[in-house]
Amino acid sequence: MLGADILVEMLARYRVETIFGVPGDTNVPLYSALQRRTDLIEHVMCRDERSAGYMADAYARISNKVGVFEAPSGAGAMYSLPPVAEAHASSVPVILMTIDVPLPGEGRGVITELDCVKLFEPVTKASIQIKSPEKIPEIIRRAFRIATTGKPGAVHLVIPEDMLKAEVPEGQYSLHVEEECQSFPAYPTMAEPGRVEALLELIEAAERPLLVAGGGANRSRARAALQHFAEKLNVPVVTTITGQSTMPDDHPLAIGVIGDNGYHPHANMAMEEADLLVYLGSKVGSVVSIGWSFPSKNPARKVAQVDIDPQVLANMTENALSLAGDVRLVLEALAIAARDRPAKDDAWVDTLNAYRQEFWAGAEPLFQDTALPLRPEPIVRAFSERLQHPVNILSDAGTPTPYMTRFLRMGDTESTFIIPRAYGGLGYAIPAVVGAWKAEPDKTTIGLFGDGSFNMSVGELETLVRLNCPAKLIQFNNGCFGWIKGLHRMEGRGANDCYSVDFTKANAARIAESFGLKAWQVQTLEEFDQAFAAALEHDGPCFIDVIVESLAERVPPVYSWLKKTGRDPLSLRSEKLAF
């Protein structure tokens, strides 16, 4: 077999159904092998290597399988760096294959030559060069094992072009696979004996225990286990941004989102008032802890932490108890250990739900505000009311984040809301909807982004049309890098005194139409509601360009910003607060 055919066969045996990538000089042999086996693997041609990586990222988050993408040498490899870094830091298993210049050309000034192994080492679990074609199966097995075991993450493979062209005699390789590593988490680990019981004792002894679900709870597929255990002992749950979707938003034990960006004040109040915090798959990073200032110091408050990565445990907190193990397995063991234990009384949960009811009642005037340009709150309300569940929502880390995180409510257990939070790069949502759709084609797929993000990935609109991906795209059009402009306003600058953050407010609907999408530009809430209803009924890709107020016109629901401007970030009232 040719090395390229061995590679394709191995990927197919690991249940890879879709590879995302961009054609180039060096990866022609790979494309030839993929063309010979279109019955096994579909190749999705992207318009940018960064987009290919974001597609693989979203595919992995939703499918529970490894996302695979490929790139040619040189610039193709360099463009692939941002999505690999994002996936790795978010504990998402992806494998990037850069098809490199032939080995004999090393060190001889071959065009596009680059030390890709070193380039990707800081942002992957492993960066490996294949140096002989008979080792292709072995290294593919290693790549899937590394990506899916322990704390999931990214793996990078450098495959010189001549490895793909080489003929490998039968008997010099084995095409066997490890079935356990076809999905993640593979070989999930369990905390040592006695630790689960010790955690249960801490929870039972606490008067106001609180479960804090982070991104690791989603990675371990712990939704059902979390809800079951929370209901068993009547313990409330808050989530980080990456922990969203672990509980239905309308569940009486699902209190809300904590931290800095788009937080719920009642959820942050729960953190402050709890006498036991149980972090489940959370690194307790800067956003969750609001720069490690939250919750406030309280010697009477105990902290327990569950994480599959022992290096995370007690790294940012003084733990009364640390458990190294898979979140789902630990929660399932907790439920078994608690099967004969009585549930907590309702007093703590009732208090938190009273806070929550006051918050949502206070937000109602914002939802009714239809002044122009539209503010985000009424758009989020109309968006939520029209959603057809289950749904996969992919959002950029910019303008949509604070308002969607705070005001979007999804009441089912099958929907997913994803924001890339590791590096906050723009340009994620448009390509990500393709990966999400490939992972779950039967679910409605929606992308949310600002116009700053749109201009970074506009080329992928052609990909959506070519694939007839029926995603619904919603752009928040405010003619600026809103988050950064807001930071300028925080320094006391006037709206017209912010430097190098404003750009032309283009008619993105016309741009989308030129690619072949069904598109609308809307300014009023009625227009948005009608366009969104029509988009949900349309069986192809759609684009809604919403003219909105800039995020920099008033202080968004960001804890640290509110505090810096002299407001009470724990106020349960949602107000229109000018800078």
Side-chain angles (χ1 to χ4, degrees):
M1 294 178 70
L2 292 176
D5 293 313
I6 292 175
L7 175 61
V8 171
E9 180 66 26
M10 286 298 298
L11 293 173
R13 293 189 181 204
Y14 272 98
R15 295 196 301 160
V16 175
E17 298 173 341
T18 306
I19 295 176
F20 308 93
V22 177
D25 292 354
T26 53
N27 54 12
V28 171
L30 172 60
Y31 282 48
S32 296
L34 288 169
Q35 188 175 19
R36 289 191 286 271
R37 296 311 309 267
T38 53
D39 59 317
L40 293 178
I41 297 176
E42 176 190 17
H43 183 271
V44 171
M45 184 190 75
C46 310
R47 304 306 299 272
D48 183 279
E49 288 85 356
R50 182 175 58 173
S51 295
Y54 289 145
M55 291 180 194
D57 173 288
Y59 179 89
R61 291 180 196 242
I62 290 174
S63 71
N64 202 34
K65 298 193 292 186
V66 177
V68 179
F69 73 111
E70 53 82 21
S73 61
M78 290 188 287
Y79 296 154
S80 302
L81 192 65
V84 169
E86 178 64 44
H88 180 60
S90 300
S91 302
V92 178
V94 302
I95 294 176
L96 164 64
M97 303 180 298
T98 55
I99 312 304
D100 209 355
V101 299
L103 275 178
E106 275 191 319
R108 304 181 72 177
V110 175
I111 187 171
T112 73
E113 183 184 1
L114 177 68
D115 192 342
C116 288
V117 171
K118 285 187 178 179
L119 178 67
F120 285 89
E121 278 179 349
V123 293
T124 58
K125 291 183 75 175
S127 186
I128 306 166
Q129 184 183 48
I130 296 178
K131 298 180 180 179
S132 63
E134 16 338 304
K135 287 183 71 69
I136 290 175
E138 174 191 333
I139 292 178
I140 291 298
R141 285 190 289 271
R142 188 181 308 161
F144 277 84
R145 190 183 314 118
I146 293 171
T148 59
T149 56
K151 180 183 178 181
V155 175
H156 169 238
L157 300 180
V158 178
I159 309 176
E161 184 182 6
D162 50 324
M163 298 297 102
L164 300 179
K165 293 179 176 180
E167 293 186 358
V168 187
E170 189 175 349
Q172 291 190 11
Y173 56 88
S174 171
L175 298 177
H176 72 275
V177 301
E178 292 174 86
E179 292 185 4
E180 296 86 351
C181 300
Q182 292 174 332
S183 60
F184 68 93
Y187 306 117
T189 56
M190 183 56 186
E192 62 189 285
R195 289 278 176 171
V196 168
E197 291 74 16
L199 178 56
L200 183 59
E201 289 177 7
L202 279 177
I203 295 172
E204 289 190 310
E207 292 184 5
R208 298 178 302 280
L210 188 66
L211 304 179
V212 185
N218 272 322
R219 298 293 170 273
S220 68
R221 306 291 164 174
R223 290 186 184 184
L226 174 63
Q227 184 172 335
H228 177 63
F229 175 70
E231 291 172 345
K232 176 74 181 94
L233 285 190
N234 198 33
V235 179
V237 179
V238 294
T239 76
T240 67
I241 292 178
T242 55
Q244 287 181 270
S245 308
T246 49
M247 290 277 286
D249 290 331
D250 58 359
H251 195 287
L253 295 176
I255 304 305
V257 179
I258 63 165
D260 195 21
N261 193 350
Y263 71 101
H264 290 119
H266 45 282
N268 276 5
M269 289 170 69
M271 293 284 286
E272 285 286 5
E273 296 180 11
D275 60 359
L276 173 66
L277 300 176
V278 182
Y279 289 99
L280 302 168
S282 172
K283 293 178 290 190
V284 196
S286 60
V287 175
V288 172
S289 65
I290 314 178
W292 299 282
S293 67
F294 172 83
S296 60
K297 300 294 183 183
N298 182 354
R301 183 189 299 116
K302 294 182 178 180
V303 174
Q305 192 175 9
V306 180
D307 203 283
I308 200 167
D309 182 7
Q311 297 183 62
V312 169
L313 298 173
N315 188 46
M316 299 297 175
T317 53
E318 182 179 349
N319 291 353
L321 185 66
S322 298
L323 285 79
D326 178 82
V327 171
R328 178 179 59 82
L329 294 184
V330 170
L331 286 168
E332 289 173 349
L334 278 168
I336 293 172
R339 59 182 176 271
D340 298 323
R341 309 292 180 90
K344 297 273 183 186
D345 64 49
D346 292 330
W348 172 228
V349 173
D350 288 348
T351 297
L352 297 181
N353 275 310
Y355 294 157
R356 177 159 67 165
Q357 290 166 10
E358 184 177 346
F359 165 78
W360 286 107
E364 196 61 34
L366 296 180
F367 299 137
Q368 305 300 326
D369 187 349
T370 58
L372 300 181
L374 279 174
R375 296 186 173 96
E377 293 92 341
I379 299 172
V380 177
R381 165 64 70 86
F383 174 82
S384 298
E385 290 179 343
R386 283 283 184 184
L387 281 181
Q388 300 171 350
H389 298 285
V391 63
N392 288 321
I393 301 175
L394 296 304
S395 174
D396 260 282
T399 293
T401 297
Y403 293 100
M404 282 292 172
T405 297
R406 181 169 243 194
F407 295 114
L408 176 63
R409 304 182 79 177
M410 297 192 296
D412 67 302
T413 58
E414 300 300 321
S415 293
T416 300
F417 181 48
I418 294 172
I419 304 177
R421 295 299 306 166
Y423 293 104
L426 301 184
Y428 177 85
I430 292 178
V433 297
V434 177
W437 171 62
K438 286 295 181 183
E440 290 187 335
D442 295 332
K443 288 186 181 178
T444 301
T445 305
I446 298 174
L448 307 171
F449 46 91
D451 44 352
S453 175
F454 170 73
N455 286 288
M456 296 183 180
S457 54
V458 60
E460 299 306 333
L461 295 181
E462 186 278 330
T463 306
L464 269 73
V465 173
R466 173 168 26 95
L467 300 175
N468 196 30
C469 170
K472 318 306 173 188
L473 304 179
I474 300 176
Q475 172 178 266
F476 295 83
N477 189 339
N478 56 26
C480 66
F481 289 112
W483 182 268
I484 308 305
K485 189 172 182 178
L487 289 173
H488 287 212
R489 298 295 306 277
M490 290 289 292
E491 295 181 350
R493 302 186 193 185
N496 298 319
D497 191 35
C498 299
Y499 182 69
S500 201
V501 290
D502 296 300
F503 47 78
T504 303
K505 189 181 292 187
N507 189 327
R510 288 188 179 180
I511 297 173
E513 284 179 337
S514 73
F515 279 102
L517 287 85
K518 188 173 181 62
W520 302 260
Q521 185 177 77
V522 302
Q523 297 190 52
T524 70
L525 190 60
E526 182 180 7
E527 288 173 345
F528 172 79
D529 192 53
Q530 292 173 352
F532 190 39
L536 291 172
E537 292 298 319
H538 186 62
D539 61 359
C542 296
F543 191 104
I544 304 175
D545 183 25
V546 191
I547 306 300
V548 296
E549 175 190 78
S550 168
L551 184 147
E553 290 301 311
R554 57 194 170 96
V555 184
V558 179
Y559 187 103
S560 57
W561 290 24
L562 289 165
K563 190 172 183 179
K564 189 173 181 179
T565 55
R567 277 82 171 201
D568 177 12
L570 291 182
S571 170
L572 293 170
R573 294 180 57 83
S574 294
E575 301 177 77
K576 294 177 284 186
L577 303 173
F579 277 98

